[in-house]
Amino acid sequence: MKKPINHIYLIVLLSVLSSAAPMGTDTYLPSIPEIAKSFGVSIDKIELSLSIFLIGFSVGQIFGGPISDRYGRRVSSIFGLLGFALFSFIIIFITNIYELWIFRFLEAFFGGIVVVNAAAAVRDRFHGAEAAKVFSLIGIVRSLAPLLAPAIGAAIIHFFNWEAVFIFLTLYALIVTFFVYKDLPESYTYIKQNIFESYKIVLSHKTAMKAMLTLGFSFGGFFIIIAKTSFIYIEHFGISTDYFPFFFGINFIFLIIMIKVNINLLKKYEDLLLVKTAILVQILVGLIFILLQKDIHLVTIMILIASYMCMMPFIFGNCMALALEFFPKNAGVASGVIGVLQFGLGAIISSVALSFHNNTFLPIALSITIISIISFLIIRTYK
């Protein structure tokens, strides 16, 4: 009989599974100029592959949910990881930009299949406030990926060609596959159900959809902040690119701290209350940002950005738990819908907001304030 998996080890393993997107994108970022030079194209053509990756990642979650519910979390994870490894390896041998777009999409597609299993596996084992705590713990480990992945990618590019980044991603996926095969016990209960019926059940659940939409809109605000950090620090304040990782990374350090705070607060308060309070704080931060945006100082904007992002742990983990609580038999499909809304809706919202870019901070301040207000209006009617 297989030995029961250690609780902390399980959380780490599920965190690694849910880190497919940041590992696939952030490790790749430092190599973009070299790839553009290698193919003789402009950088924006290579940057387009990031958007293509997010599209593939969203589509993969649509298919990954039903696969997870039908064949199990373990088998689905292994299938997705092997596909991710295969197309990461194929990219090493590409010869033009079009092949990069195609194989990055396919790589991301299988990454999407992988990631739905982490949330579904948590739903299989934990419920209510306990599930919210586990999602928050997973968030701590997963938040390390955006900090570590660019450094790993930069180190690889320093010593090797850009192809080495995809060798790393191939090995990463294969190593994770080994540990999933070896240590991840199956947790789902198979129930024969039509795929379309499963999606109908999830999409027609009004209460759960409110939590999912809140998560999607909040992720849009998160994307806006991430996308505009280079403009804020490098272009506007003239920060050297050598010091940019500090200004970028400090937000994730505070974010990790607040994940721990969220876990402690869940012992006394309901997850729904924490979500509402966090969004109200974001609205307040946005309003202050609007008032101060004309003559704002570097330290002030660092505090505002950190304050806004620090509220994300209270929204992400808790909204995930609130949404999945209703789907004990369709956790995979529900996880896929959450992923599509989180990345798809988040990307669309942030793209629209970013299209109003000018050389001031007003579009940023207005965007995150409006998004936070919409999020609060949605979640306030939960239940």
Side-chain angles (χ1 to χ4, degrees):
M1 188 173 177
K2 195 166 185 177
K3 183 181 178 181
I5 188 169
N6 178 275
H7 187 74
I8 300 300
Y9 178 43
L10 172 64
I11 290 173
V12 172
L13 191 55
L14 294 177
S15 302
V16 173
L17 277 180
S18 65
S19 298
M23 290 304 296
T25 54
D26 296 355
T27 310
Y28 166 76
L29 292 177
S31 64
I32 287 178
E34 185 179 330
I35 297 174
K37 188 182 296 183
S38 175
F39 292 150
V41 297
S42 59
I43 285 181
D44 64 287
K45 295 286 180 63
I46 308 299
E47 290 175 338
L48 181 59
S49 67
L50 293 171
S51 299
I52 290 171
F53 185 95
L54 289 177
I55 293 169
F57 195 71
S58 297
V59 174
Q61 291 180 75
I62 295 174
F63 289 89
I67 293 172
S68 178
D69 284 338
R70 183 172 182 83
Y71 298 103
R73 319 309 180 201
R74 184 168 173 267
V75 171
S76 179
S77 296
I78 292 171
F79 173 67
L81 285 164
L82 290 176
F84 186 92
L86 172 64
F87 288 104
S88 295
F89 184 72
I90 289 175
I91 290 172
I92 298 167
F93 305 100
I94 62 173
T95 57
N96 59 65
I97 184 65
Y98 304 108
E99 291 177 350
L100 177 67
W101 291 345
I102 292 169
F103 293 124
R104 279 291 275 175
F105 175 89
L106 293 171
E107 177 193 43
F109 175 85
F110 282 96
I113 292 176
V114 172
V115 79
V116 298
N117 293 285
V122 172
R123 174 60 187 84
D124 293 339
R125 294 175 170 87
F126 307 99
H127 308 283
E130 190 179 10
K133 290 177 186 177
V134 173
F135 278 122
S136 294
L137 286 169
I138 288 174
I140 293 176
V141 181
R142 190 176 57 196
S143 295
L144 295 174
L147 289 174
L148 297 176
I152 292 170
I156 291 171
I157 291 299
H158 182 77
F159 293 103
F160 307 101
N161 294 328
W162 65 264
E163 289 90 346
V165 171
F166 293 96
I167 294 176
F168 167 78
L169 290 175
T170 302
L171 294 174
Y172 166 81
L174 291 176
I175 291 169
V176 176
T177 302
F178 170 76
F179 284 105
V180 169
Y181 174 78
K182 175 175 170 286
D183 294 325
L184 184 65
E186 190 51 77
S187 59
Y188 89 121
T189 301
Y190 172 69
I191 295 176
K192 188 174 182 180
Q193 197 168 53
N194 183 280
I195 293 175
F196 296 105
E197 183 66 23
S198 294
Y199 272 106
K200 182 181 177 182
I201 290 171
V202 174
L203 293 172
S204 62
H205 199 296
K206 293 181 181 178
T207 303
M209 284 302 298
K210 289 174 183 177
M212 294 182 189
L213 287 170
T214 300
L215 186 60
F217 274 95
S218 296
F219 217 71
F222 185 73
F223 275 2
I224 290 169
I225 294 294
I226 294 296
K228 299 305 292 184
T229 49
S230 59
F231 163 73
I232 292 169
Y233 293 125
I234 297 175
E235 291 187 38
H236 186 86
F237 288 107
I239 300 297
S240 167
T241 53
D242 292 335
Y243 294 104
F244 174 71
F246 166 76
F247 289 91
F248 181 78
I250 195 169
N251 296 306
F252 285 94
I253 294 171
F254 283 115
L255 190 145
I256 292 171
I257 293 170
M258 295 307 287
I259 290 173
K260 177 60 177 173
V261 173
N262 180 55
I263 294 169
N264 291 332
L265 289 176
L266 282 167
K267 297 174 183 177
K268 297 182 179 180
Y269 304 101
E270 290 186 358
D271 43 11
L272 180 60
L273 177 62
L274 295 177
V275 172
K276 290 179 179 179
T277 304
I279 296 174
L280 285 174
V281 172
Q282 288 186 328
I283 293 172
L284 178 60
V285 170
L287 291 172
I288 294 171
F289 199 175
I290 292 172
L291 292 173
L292 301 180
Q293 54 89 24
K294 281 189 176 180
D295 301 304
I296 197 165
H297 297 288
L298 175 60
V299 174
T300 305
I301 202 167
M302 286 178 66
I303 293 172
L304 289 174
I305 290 175
S307 300
Y308 185 89
M309 292 185 69
C310 278
M311 293 300 104
M312 292 302 175
F314 299 102
I315 300 171
F316 290 168
N318 296 333
C319 278
M320 188 78 78
L322 288 170
L324 289 176
E325 184 66 25
F326 299 99
F327 307 109
K329 300 176 183 178
N330 309 94
V333 168
S335 178
V337 172
I338 291 171
V340 171
L341 287 174
Q342 184 175 334
F343 287 92
L345 183 59
I348 292 170
I349 291 169
S350 60
S351 296
V352 172
L354 293 172
S355 67
F356 291 97
H357 169 79
N358 56 34
N359 290 322
T360 73
F361 294 142
L362 184 59
I364 305 171
L366 279 174
S367 296
I368 64 173
T369 304
I370 292 169
I371 287 170
S372 297
I373 291 172
I374 293 172
S375 296
F376 184 78
L377 292 175
I378 293 171
I379 200 64
R380 69 185 291 270
T381 59
Y382 182 91
K383 291 184 180 177

